[in-house]
Amino acid sequence: MFEVKDIAHLEMEEEDFDTVMAADISFNGKVRFVKPLMIKGKLTGTIDATSDLLIDSGAEVSADIVADRILIKGKVKGNVHGKHLVYVTSTGSVNGDITSAQVVLEPGSDFSGKCAMTREETGEKK
């Protein structure tokens, strides 16, 4: 019904990702990456990226997140800043503030926090 531009790349399969943090992994610390990352396990700390991030269903992330485009199917506790897009699916939940040029909350998703839309080029609020 509605088309969301810029989401096609985030609909990749697990084998399309350069790095996958498996469901049986728990990590505590700072994560930085430049190629797409899929998280299936548990992560606590901070995420600072210049690429795309997929938080899979079943994943639990307690972190402040900065990435280009972020697809959330699991649980996130922390502030989320997507430079271009933050997309929360019906299975996803965010407990924290969301800032991005484009924000999509599917029906059924959980969101508790503030949402600020920014301009992609400058990062300033619309």
Side-chain angles (χ1 to χ4, degrees):
M1 180 191 289
F2 294 101
E3 284 293 317
V4 177
K5 68 176 187 173
D6 225 15
I7 191 69
H9 188 216
L10 287 174
E11 294 177 340
M12 299 186 308
E13 298 296 323
E14 181 176 337
E15 55 272 358
D16 297 326
F17 282 84
D18 288 14
T19 307
V20 176
M21 193 181 108
D24 62 339
I25 295 176
S26 292
F27 179 83
N28 187 356
K30 184 172 187 169
V31 176
R32 301 180 103 187
F33 57 93
V34 296
K35 293 188 177 183
L37 170 69
M38 175 186 281
I39 297 173
K40 300 181 101 171
K42 295 180 181 178
L43 186 143
T44 302
T46 60
I47 299 173
D48 185 12
T50 57
S51 186
D52 297 334
L53 173 64
L54 187 152
I55 299 168
D56 207 11
S57 54
E60 296 179 20
V61 175
S62 293
D64 287 335
I65 300 170
V66 175
D68 280 350
R69 294 180 298 176
I70 304 164
L71 178 61
I72 300 170
K73 296 180 176 182
K75 295 180 182 180
V76 174
K77 184 175 182 181
N79 297 325
V80 179
H81 177 79
K83 294 172 186 155
H84 302 289
L85 171 70
V86 174
Y87 193 110
V88 185
T89 67
S90 61
T91 62
S93 69
V94 176
N95 186 349
D97 297 342
I98 296 176
T99 306
S100 185
Q102 186 177 12
V103 176
V104 178
L105 300 172
E106 282 187 353
S109 63
D110 287 331
F111 171 57
S112 178
K114 297 177 185 174
C115 181
M117 303 286 288
T118 60
R119 298 189 192 285
E120 279 189 59
E121 306 83 39
T122 62
E124 63 188 44
K125 292 182 182 177
K126 289 184 179 178

